């Protein structure tokens, strides 16, 4: 398989087949992000011949009777998936024609695949017409993961995200209309010290106008090779403490009034959870209250410092 650099996927895509179609990020300007710093380029699309070769390799592995027997004996369910996740920071940036070609190749080699997912930026959606989005939905593109990070426009501008909260609402409404589902990544701490709960309420306001199937909370973790680290050294930006981040997540959940799933699954989270709301909203708020009331800042900070890489 052709894989470039560190391969990132959401925790809930663990059973999806991972197919590299892009490497790097088209934006690569977010001050907090270091995920693609190991690459010597910002972004590139994989050659179609490499994509096709990888699909052939997957087809061979999945159709190999020995592989199936071994998988059954070990209890490995990974080869029973009917989903492909395209890797790279934002493969959905590819043109409609390229995405269509990739979907056709997936169907050719893996006809049992039902859905195709990927990371996406808000700006990837705006570049496509309503008709193209609907057609991509028909091809199986579904359940995209979008790192909106926050609904706080001041934070979005400072962090160089390249879009506003209104853009999130407008573009994700277009996904709703096209029938393409999506999940959000929310980054606790992105608004900075003293603004966390404000950012959480602004984010809830954005989410309440949309239909994310999942809101994944992640904790801002700042590394020395990030631009944000330099802003902190200059005294331009101040980091929220760890308990404030949990208060922030609690505020977000408290103000959500849509049906969705809220989760904290990634390694940036000292405590993991996953709950459907509004059904389990009060239980989840109680769980967060127990963390806030019983876990010390020093314990949470020790965990943060132990996270060497996301």
């Amino acid at each position: 398989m052709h894989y470039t650099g560190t391969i990132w996927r959401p925790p809930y895509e663990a059973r999806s087949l991972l197919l590299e179609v892009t490497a790097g990020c088209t934006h690569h300007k977010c001050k907090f992000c270091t995920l693609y710093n190991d690459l010597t380029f910002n972004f590139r699309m994989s050659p179609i011949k490499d994509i096709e070769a990888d699909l052939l390799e997957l087809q061979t592995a999945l159709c190999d009777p020995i592989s199936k027997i071994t998988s059954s004996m070990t209890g490995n369910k990974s080869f029973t998936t009917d989903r492909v996740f395209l890797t790279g920071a934002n493969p959905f940036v590819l043109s409609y024609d390229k995405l269509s070609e990739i979907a056709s190749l997936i169907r050719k080699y893996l006809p049992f695949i039902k859905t195709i997912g990927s990371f996406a930026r808000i700006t990837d959606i705006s570049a496509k017409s309503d008709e193209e989005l609907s057609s991509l939905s028909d091809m199986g593109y579904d359940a995209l993961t979008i790192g909106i990070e926050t609904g706080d426009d001041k934070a979005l501008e400072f962090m160089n995200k390249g879009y506003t909260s209104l853009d999130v609402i407008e573009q994700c409404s277009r996904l709703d209309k096209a029938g393409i589902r999506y999940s959000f990544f929310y980054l606790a701490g992105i608004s900075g010290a003293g603004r966390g709960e404000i950012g959480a309420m602004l984010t809830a306001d954005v989410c309440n106008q949309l239909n994310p199937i999942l809101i994944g909370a992640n904790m801002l973790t700042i590394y020395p090779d990030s631009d944000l680290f330099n802003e902190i050294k200059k005294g331009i930006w101040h980091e929220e403490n760890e308990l404030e981040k949990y208060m922030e997540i609690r505020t977000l959940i408290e103000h959500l009034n849509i049906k969705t799933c809220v989760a904290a699954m990634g390694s940036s989270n000292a405590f993991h959870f996953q709950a459907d709301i509004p059904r389990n909203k009060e239980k989840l708020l109680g769980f967060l209250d127990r963390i806030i009331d019983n876990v010390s800042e020093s314990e949470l900070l020790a965990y943060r410092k132990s996270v060497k890489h996301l």
Side-chain angles (χ1 to χ4, degrees), residues 112-249:
F112 55 85
I113 292 297
K114 295 180 180 178
T115 61
I116 305 168
S118 77
F119 286 120
R121 280 180 51 79
I122 291 298
T123 50
D124 301 344
I125 305 163
S126 60
K128 295 171 178 62
S129 69
D130 290 344
E131 293 74 17
E132 288 173 337
L133 290 175
S134 294
S135 181
L136 290 170
S137 175
D138 292 340
M139 294 176 200
Y141 285 93
D142 188 37
L144 303 176
T145 294
I146 306 170
I148 65 165
E149 321 303 0
T150 182
D152 179 356
D153 281 326
K154 287 186 178 179
L156 290 172
E157 182 179 7
F158 179 79
M159 296 295 177
N160 288 334
K161 282 300 297 183
Y163 55 78
T164 67
S165 60
L166 181 59
D167 293 327
V168 174
I169 294 167
E170 289 178 345
Q171 298 309 318
C172 290
S173 294
R174 295 179 65 228
L175 290 182
D176 287 334
K177 182 180 177 182
I180 297 177
R181 298 176 303 161
Y182 50 88
S183 297
F184 287 156
F185 273 179
Y186 172 74
L187 194 55
I190 193 173
S191 292
R195 281 189 56 86
E197 293 188 79
I198 294 172
M201 287 186 282
L202 291 170
T203 305
D205 182 59
V206 169
C207 293
N208 286 337
Q209 300 177 61
L210 299 168
N211 297 286
I213 56 176
L214 181 143
I215 301 171
N218 297 285
M219 298 293 190
L220 177 64
T221 306
I222 301 164
Y223 294 104
D225 55 340
S226 68
D227 291 340
L228 185 56
F229 183 81
N230 293 325
E231 298 281 37
I232 294 171
K233 284 173 57 179
K234 296 174 185 175
I236 295 173
W237 191 84
H238 300 281
E239 186 177 4
E240 189 174 60
N241 71 38
E242 299 302 309
L243 280 171
E244 283 180 306
K245 291 175 187 175
Y246 278 97
M247 295 175 190
E248 177 181 341
I249 291 174

